[in-house]
Amino acid sequence: MTLTERDLKVIWHPYTQMQTALPPIPILRGDGALLFDENGKEYIDAVSSWWTNIHGHANKYIAQKVAEQLLQLEHVIFAGFTHQPAVELAERLLTILPNNQAKVFYSDNGSTAVEVAIKMCLQYWHNQGVKRTKVLAFKNAYHGDTFGAMAVSGRSAFTAAFDSLLFEVEFIDLPTAENMKQLKSRISYLRSELACFIFEPLVQGSAGMIMYEAEHLNELIVHCKAEGIFTVDDEVFTGFGRTGKNFACNYLTEQPDIMCFSKGLTGGTMAFGLTTCTQKIYDAFLSTDKMKTLFHGHSYTANPIACAASLASLDIFLSSETEANIQRIVKAHQAFAAKIKDHAKIKTIRQTGTILAMEWQTGEDTNYFSSLRDRLYKYFLDAGIILRPLGNVIYILPPYCITDAQLNYIYSKITDALEEI
Ligand SMILES: *Cc1c(COP(=O)(O)O)cnc(C)c1O
């Protein structure tokens, strides 16, 4: 039996209709932006393995640091105990985050980082004896797949089976110059009920790489703060250079109260997540009354190996080489976008930092389940490129170490696809 056949006997894959999906491709190894299958065929990982990988696959420096940590201490209960990698990671992160961020709470993926953020906000008000129990979020938002994270995400085909069980959330449109006044008055009207406002900064990834202006987000944050509503900046996707700056919030002048991180945190090595908050939020849980404790934790909270991977990733991330790579990708994307933007099949093309998204013109229905999506996906796979369209939106967000030759190959295949599909 092949590995694929064995897989199909025992495994249920994420986000996959197992009856109709193409059989999974066994990947043997990775190297930089490349993945190699069993038969030696290579694929350029143009989506950074679900947006996690920032320094390329099988990175030797991270592997070395992880191996050293494994032989030193693999895990320890994090209630009542601590360790060097957790402390050092928190210290180092706080020096590069907005200076109002004061405390780090560890978890183990993006959804749990969001759950922690929501719980911090809701319990903040609970601990004050104030009834502010609602969350404000954007339509089409995506914050994860666990129930709380799903509740603050837009209602969609993905949540349909659970909609009646999700707690009530106030959804607003993305901000524009035109609707700003209306959004602000809606927020002011709801203010006494709202615990927090959660958002994906600048780019709504899962919604199809929908982008909006930093200036408008900034104005909403200022307004929420004036109304006493906490602001939760979900940087699970945008953190660590994706948008061209270290964090998307670096495009803002107003600083969020809470931040969530995961995907790029370990450089794409392993699952990890964390939530940071201000001193004010932390202080609201200090009490001789045990009921004011944040009762949240995961078995693998602050796993030392994940901390070591994150520290190693941070070393690489903060190097001048990575900075140069990010700017190189930004410029290459710009040049390619300028070249194809007027093509009849391109409906819109948009870019934020290292993220380039093209909306394909299509006569048929344009949702996530369109057959165009499947044809595009297969076309690029056959060409040795992993691009996973969101409906009719193709996007490239490569590991920062991708070479110019690899980038140009992706661009040339997209140009070919525009003629052939
Ligand atoms: C992917 C994502 C999450 C969820 O992270 P998981 O690790 O997949 O649970 C949350 N927020 C945003 C913005 C994301 O893109």
Side-chain angles (χ1 to χ4, degrees), residues 51 109-111 114 142-145 200 206 234 236-237 262-263:
W51 322 345
N109 63 67
S111 301
V114 167
Y142 179 76
H143 296 289
D145 286 349
E200 292 161 275
S206 296
D234 178 355
V236 166
F237 166 44
S262 178
K263 294 192 169 105

Side-chain angles (χ1 to χ4, degrees), residues 142-180:
Y142 179 76
H143 296 289
D145 286 349
T146 52
F147 264 81
M150 195 165 46
V152 298
S153 300
R155 301 294 176 265
S156 71
F158 304 141
T159 64
F162 318 104
D163 280 357
S164 66
L165 300 171
L166 301 177
F167 59 75
E168 204 188 325
V169 169
E170 292 293 335
F171 289 106
I172 55 172
D173 289 323
L174 286 181
T176 61
E178 290 71 41
N179 70 8
M180 185 58 75

